[in-house]
Amino acid sequence: MAYPDVVVVGGGVVGAACAEALTRHGVRVRVCDRGAPAAATTGSGEGNLLVSDKEPGPELNLARASCRRWPRLLAELVDEIGPSLADAEWEPKGGLVVATDETAAAPLLALAERQRVAGVEAVVTTDVRGLEPHLAPSVAAAVHYPEDAQLQPVLATSALLAAVRRRGSEVCAGVEVLGVHRGSRVTSVRTKNGDLPCGAVVNACGPWSGRFAEIAGSSLPVEPRRGLVLVTAPLPPQTVRHKVYDADYVGTVASGSADLVTSAVVESTRSGTVLVGSSRQRVGFHESIEVRVLRALARKALALFPVLRGVPAMRAYGGFRPYTPDHLPVIGADPAVPGLWHATGHEGAGIGLAPATGQLVAELMTGAEPHVDPAPFRVDRPALQGRALECA
Amino acid sequence: MTVLVVGAGPAGIHAASSAAGVGADVVLVDSASRPGGQYHRQPSDAPRTGALAVVDHPRVKWMPETWVWAVERTDQGFRLHAQVGPADAPGRPCIALDGEALVLAMGAYDRVLPFPGWDLPGVYTAGAAQAMAKGQRVAVGRNVVVSGTGPFLLPVAESLLGVGARVRGVLEAGSPVRWALQPWLLRGSLGKIGELAHYAKVLSTGKVPYRTRSAVVAAHGADRVESVTVARLNHDWTVASGSEQQVEVDAVAVGYGFTPQLELAIALGCRIQRALDDSDVVVVGRDQATSVPGVFAAGEITAVAGADAAAAEGVLAGLSAAQSIGSSIVDKQVSLIRRKVLRKRDFARALAAVHPVRSGWQSWLVDTTLVCRCEEVSLSAVRSAVVERGAAGMRALKLLCRVGLGPCQGRICGRNVAELTGLPDIPKRPIASPIRLGDLASEPDGSGG
Amino acid sequence: MRVIVDGQAVTAERGQTVAAVLMGHGRTSWRITRHGGRPRGLFCGIGVCFDCLVIVNGIPDVRACQRVVVDGDDIRTQYGAELPEAGT
């Protein structure tokens, strides 16, 4: 074989996208998930593909590449695995960012201006009720982002993994990678089923990737950042048409606070439910669901959509996002352990950033020309150095 | 110091009563307007007698129509988040109830196995048929067949007869003739034999045929049940070929055992285990203590064993909860009750041994049979999610085909899906009862976490 | 007492649930599913299955088996997913 076999550790959307891109380049992979693929962070995601919440810079570039890539990728998969398996409920629905008061309006409009300069379609709109008939009338400013989109993360991941299998590679559920053997470089991984020889290992363990980096003989300051989502009873189609969120969301994402921060993010799904997010808390892998968080989410959602007042919340669930101190993902080879690669740290943007991440890993690994500049995502960047591994 | 008791069925009322009896202050909450749960269900104008009178005890604060939607641990103990008022009405007051000890006694609901046509109006759970008859004096049909497994089918038939329905048959899928062949199974529950004799008389007076190894395996009709297919079952519950018969009925009451209501126990982190009847139950020690200090459990959520067992466990749980917050109790009193509880648990074990649900039920389904009623997910859609999309866990399965993601949150289909796919499921439902967003937003600050 | 069922006044008794009133007047279904357009009514009878959802006084997603009627209640068939009436 011209390329080494690669073990991708983690069957979430990022691991699946890496495996998809690698197999597309002819690399033979094995995806090992200690549980079920798409059952952890990916299964808790809302399926956001957002350019709207990103400042111009490397993450925005990655997001735009990904937003372009997702629909093409899914279309290509239709030919390969058939239309039903390739259906991931892709919806180019666009985002609508709303400033509910004057103090939030100016920063929103300024961000939109910076994004426009960077090439993002960011349309300041005065006809918000034309875009969202049920939106609260008291809106100070709103920006429409047609490039924002949504898909169903578990369907999308299963489509990627179906393609991986179709190309003769393997996806193993219930196989935890317990150790990494190496001489001058990685030679195999250890599982409960024995050693699995490979030339490279991709750490796609999401919030648990700090822990895996340690197992593999390196270190990575990725921590879990908890989020909760409220799910309503099914509503009529078109009750909420876009990804609608409060302008303060951008600040919430960018915050490094360990304490609870919440911001309204409201979107419908094809099944009719409306998802109400988002909260961010750094509480380790603590799984409890706090009523005060649910209450805060409900309040903020109602400020945007008063029509939801009488709608039942039927479910709430929590998940962990992989958080890095500088809010940038980690993508590329680990110089400390030759053969170890990372594809992690996307925090709440993993669904959106997955295809470009996978593609970048495959390009770097096979020596192809990278389609985005990989330098900002390097694991040895200064912002990640000297950080203690707090929560692994 | 307060003992919170959730559920006012046989377990809850006895827990409240015993805790109050040894001096504890008790808050007893239930979603119904009257105490008694499903077992003591009565019309709203019936007098409160016997154990139900606990709600008039001076140290018991009885909170009817109180819907607990979440539970949290606090520094001092536990906090129930609840809404008070008519079911599902918006604008009901949100309250927080604090206590230092907690008794969970939420009971269980009927398990129904799917079959073609089970989503037609006119197919009811056995519990629904009984609740409508006992609580509302309404017969769910004029011409009813009762199908399922377990002794609970008998009182269901009796209550249907009591409101004037014609019961075309009680179909017991299992072979409970083993009660007679293995009387040791009834050791300690001799009273049950008397009960069985009572029901035998009721059925014969009502001219109700009782058939074992038989079941309704399909229901037919355009917009409601018009007839059913009744079949003889093989030992594994596959249909004995050639045994199918059409029977004209306007209602079917179905019950294949029970599923405990574990929402609050799971939210608190209580240890859960698989019981002999394949239901998930709360693990309790000999004093009804769960794995979470301060939380006690009683009744069907610890193992389905009927009202007497639930009552005995309730007494013990109430005493233990009261003791945990400082009430002194008499050891002799406790040891007597402990023995009673152990006897009842033997009965639960016997019940599970005599009335197992056998896997042949899966062969009753056809590709288009809905497995999940809420989201209208068919058997073939579930299979395709597993086979073609590679669902390897329940959470992924749900999100791949939407099974169990509707308003009931998998309460009805969860166990059936787990059996059909072999994927284990311990469902987390932190919102134990739906709450409207406006009400959630209006919850007073400081009442959470 | 009297309640309105899909526009028609019907009699009801104190303590009755919406499901009991509807079934007492011969109805077996009062909800239409949102995918298949199929009729649904009472199923579990104890508030667990959410099959018997109905609109009461403009508010959808009310469990008919749990809701006790009060005089003048306006009860309507629920067609798939519906939004609460404005102002309720």
Side-chain angles (χ1 to χ4, degrees):
Chain A
M1 261 199 6
Y3 302 110
D5 278 338
V6 175
V7 171
V8 175
V9 186
V13 69
V14 171
C18 289
E20 192 283 329
L22 286 165
T23 51
R24 184 180 287 267
H25 278 75
V27 178
R28 220 166 51 185
V29 305
R30 180 160 320 170
V31 179
C32 293
D33 194 291
R34 63 177 176 177
T41 299
T42 296
S44 309
E46 298 155 285
N48 283 328
L49 284 67
L50 301 185
V51 297
S52 53
D53 65 338
K54 294 173 181 68
E55 285 281 353
E59 198 193 2
L60 179 62
N61 297 340
L62 196 65
R64 297 193 74 204
S66 255
C67 280
R68 284 192 299 271
R69 180 70 190 135
W70 260 125
R72 278 186 222 156
L73 176 54
L74 291 170
E76 288 162 17
L77 292 185
V78 169
D79 296 334
E80 205 175 340
I81 59 176
S84 116
L85 274 182
D87 178 14
E89 299 186 358
W90 158 261
E91 279 188 86
K93 55 167 49 173
L96 187 67
V97 185
V98 176
T100 44
D101 57 42
E102 291 300 335
T103 54
L108 170 63
L109 296 174
L111 172 65
E113 181 53 35
R114 291 194 295 279
Q115 289 167 323
R116 260 194 306 278
V117 170
V120 172
E121 224 183 313
V123 187
V124 177
T125 178
T126 47
D127 180 26
V128 284
R129 304 270 282 196
L131 291 170
E132 281 297 339
H134 291 292
L135 198 68
S138 57
V139 165
V143 181
H144 180 215
Y145 292 87
E147 289 166 82
D148 283 356
Q150 181 174 336
L151 50 67
Q152 209 267 33
V154 180
L155 289 175
T157 306
S158 82
L160 297 173
L161 293 176
V164 168
R165 284 195 203 92
R166 191 65 55 94
R167 294 168 192 162
S169 282
E170 277 184 85
V171 180
C172 302
V175 175
E176 184 168 5
V177 174
L178 303 165
V180 175
H181 299 293
R182 57 203 163 95
S184 61
R185 55 175 297 121
V186 169
T187 56
S188 66
V189 296
R190 184 164 60 83
T191 74
K192 66 174 183 206
N193 303 331
D195 287 351
L196 182 62
C198 59
V201 176
V202 178
N203 174 10
C205 297
W208 296 272
S209 47
R211 200 178 278 177
F212 184 75
E214 218 175 350
I215 284 173
S218 184
S219 73
L220 198 60
V222 173
E223 288 177 32
R225 200 177 188 194
R226 177 90 166 146
L228 297 188
V229 173
L230 269 173
V231 186
T232 70
L235 299 183
Q238 299 290 310
T239 303
V240 176
R241 300 181 177 182
H242 301 81
K243 295 211 156 257
V244 182
Y245 61 89
D246 195 309
D248 69 5
Y249 176 68
V250 180
T252 309
V253 175
S255 121
S257 169
D259 293 339
L260 172 66
V261 282
T262 58
S263 181
V265 179
V266 182
E267 66 225 303
S268 58
T269 65
R270 202 192 281 180
S271 67
T273 55
V274 166
L275 307 181
V276 174
S278 72
S279 68
R280 284 172 154 77
Q281 257 176 308
R282 281 192 288 140
V283 289
F285 287 107
H286 194 58
E287 290 213 5
S288 75
I289 289 186
E290 294 173 78
V291 168
R292 69 181 178 118
V293 182
L294 302 181
R295 184 172 56 222
L297 293 179
R299 284 182 183 171
K300 298 208 168 183
L302 293 180
L304 290 183
F305 286 98
V307 68
L308 298 177
R309 187 163 292 280
V311 168
M314 63 174 186
R315 174 165 80 246
Y317 64 86
F320 299 102
R321 308 176 181 91
Y323 167 91
T324 58
D326 61 355
H327 303 281
L328 282 181
V330 181
I331 305 165
D334 189 332
V337 179
L340 174 65
W341 293 67
H342 300 290
T344 183
H346 299 77
E347 201 176 330
I351 313 294
L353 301 177
T357 300
Q359 204 179 331
L360 189 54
V361 166
E363 288 158 351
L364 294 171
M365 211 180 265
T366 60
E369 180 69 24
H371 74 298
V372 290
D373 178 11
F377 310 116
R378 289 175 62 95
V379 63
D380 54 356
R381 62 187 187 248
L384 302 190
Q385 303 312 305
R387 297 265 182 172
L389 200 61
E390 288 164 35
C391 290
Chain B
M1 296 295 242
T2 300
V3 176
L4 301 167
V5 180
V6 186
I13 54 180
H14 282 88
S17 174
S18 68
V22 294
D25 289 320
V26 175
V27 176
L28 174 63
V29 302
D30 195 283
S31 61
S33 56
R34 297 175 51 81
Q38 309 308 333
Y39 183 79
H40 291 289
R41 188 184 284 277
Q42 292 174 318
S44 59
D45 49 7
R48 288 202 293 247
T49 54
L52 304 185
V54 66
V55 299
D56 303 318
H57 192 287
R59 271 191 300 277
V60 174
K61 186 176 181 201
W62 160 233
M63 302 203 56
E65 287 197 304
T66 301
W67 309 75
V68 176
W69 68 270
V71 63
E72 291 183 301
R73 294 199 218 186
T74 62
D75 292 341
Q76 292 77 34
F78 307 95
R79 173 167 296 163
L80 301 172
H81 294 267
Q83 285 193 279
V84 184
D88 299 326
R92 288 172 294 168
C94 291
I95 57 168
L97 299 167
D98 288 325
E100 288 70 35
L102 177 57
V103 178
L104 300 176
M106 282 83 66
Y109 56 89
D110 296 84
R111 178 180 187 190
V112 176
L113 300 175
F115 50 81
W118 77 307
D119 51 320
L120 282 171
V123 177
Y124 305 102
T125 70
Q130 194 183 36
M132 290 301 280
K134 281 171 73 176
Q136 302 284 323
R137 298 191 188 98
V138 170
V140 292
R142 290 195 184 88
N143 218 0
V144 190
V145 60
V146 179
S147 181
T149 192
F152 178 63
L153 301 179
L154 302 172
V156 170
E158 182 184 31
S159 61
L160 281 165
L161 292 170
V163 286
R166 181 174 168 213
V167 179
R168 298 290 302 275
V170 173
L171 309 180
E172 162 61 58
S175 319
V177 65
R178 290 171 61 187
W179 285 116
L181 298 179
Q182 293 163 283
W184 53 269
L185 288 172
L186 285 170
R187 187 182 52 202
S189 298
L190 286 173
K192 294 289 166 194
I193 290 176
E195 270 180 48
L196 291 178
H198 162 76
Y199 290 124
K201 190 164 167 235
V202 168
L203 294 190
S204 78
T205 311
K207 298 194 171 51
V208 178
Y210 179 81
R211 289 166 59 180
T212 58
R213 284 213 183 168
S214 308
V216 168
V217 295
H220 317 280
D223 288 331
R224 56 161 303 158
V225 171
E226 291 158 23
S227 68
V228 292
T229 302
V230 169
R232 285 274 296 162
L233 301 181
N234 298 314
H235 178 73
D236 65 355
W237 288 19
T238 52
V239 171
S241 59
S243 71
E244 299 96 327
Q245 276 185 308
Q246 294 277 114
V247 181
E248 281 186 24
V249 296
D250 61 359
V252 191
V254 189
Y256 287 91
F258 297 90
T259 300
Q261 305 235 55
L262 300 181
E263 288 83 0
L264 301 182
I266 289 174
L268 285 163
C270 298
R271 205 155 73 80
I272 304 296
Q273 71 181 5
R274 184 62 47 90
L276 290 166
D277 66 352
D278 278 333
S279 63
D280 289 318
V281 297
V282 182
V283 177
V284 287
R286 63 174 197 167
D287 292 328
Q288 305 302 127
T290 71
S291 63
V292 176
V295 181
F296 302 82
E300 311 288 50
I301 65 168
T302 72
V304 171
D308 294 347
E313 286 194 358
V315 172
L316 189 52
L319 290 174
S320 306
Q323 189 178 34
S324 77
I325 58 167
S327 298
S328 54
I329 59 177
V330 183
D331 282 346
K332 189 165 170 243
Q333 188 185 4
V334 172
S335 59
L336 264 173
I337 293 155
R338 262 191 214 132
R339 272 206 295 281
K340 196 167 172 190
V341 166
L342 288 178
R343 259 201 327 271
K344 303 298 176 187
R345 288 201 188 134
D346 284 346
F347 175 69
R349 243 172 258 138
L351 200 63
V354 177
H355 295 282
V357 169
R358 299 200 187 274
S359 63
W361 67 264
Q362 298 180 21
S363 69
W364 306 345
L365 280 64
V366 297
D367 279 356
T368 54
T369 306
L370 296 189
V371 173
C372 166
R373 302 168 62 95
C374 297
E375 294 295 289
E376 300 171 83
V377 183
S378 67
L379 175 65
S380 64
V382 172
R383 288 223 171 108
S384 138
V386 173
V387 176
E388 280 153 41
R389 285 207 178 254
M394 189 55 85
R395 181 161 191 171
L397 176 72
K398 287 177 177 176
L399 289 159
L400 286 171
C401 67
R402 296 211 53 77
V403 71
L405 286 184
C408 98
Q409 291 291 294
R411 288 174 173 92
I412 298 298
C413 68
R415 286 174 73 183
N416 298 336
V417 174
E419 277 190 35
L420 284 166
T421 60
L423 301 174
D425 183 29
I426 296 276
K428 286 183 189 162
R429 301 186 188 106
I431 296 184
S433 173
I435 178 167
R436 297 193 190 260
L437 288 176
D439 296 339
L440 176 54
S442 76
E443 259 226 337
D445 279 317
S447 76
Chain C
M1 70 172 93
R2 292 172 86 75
V3 299
I4 314 286
V5 175
D6 285 326
Q8 302 276 315
V10 304
T11 56
E13 284 168 42
R14 222 175 72 83
Q16 274 192 305
T17 60
V18 171
V21 171
L22 289 166
M23 292 181 76
H25 287 86
R27 293 278 295 265
T28 53
S29 62
W30 47 83
R31 180 171 80 89
I32 303 295
T33 63
R34 48 189 230 285
H35 301 303
R38 299 292 299 152
R40 294 283 175 86
L42 185 78
F43 181 63
C44 83
I46 56 170
V48 171
C49 78
F50 294 79
D51 235 1
C52 67
L53 297 180
V54 70
I55 298 178
V56 179
N57 303 329
I59 300 289
D61 301 325
V62 174
R63 284 168 284 179
C65 72
Q66 297 294 290
R67 183 63 167 270
V68 175
V69 289
V70 299
D71 196 25
D73 270 346
D74 180 15
I75 298 159
R76 279 200 295 118
T77 298
Q78 180 166 339
Y79 292 91
E82 298 200 31
L83 279 176
E85 266 171 29
T88 48

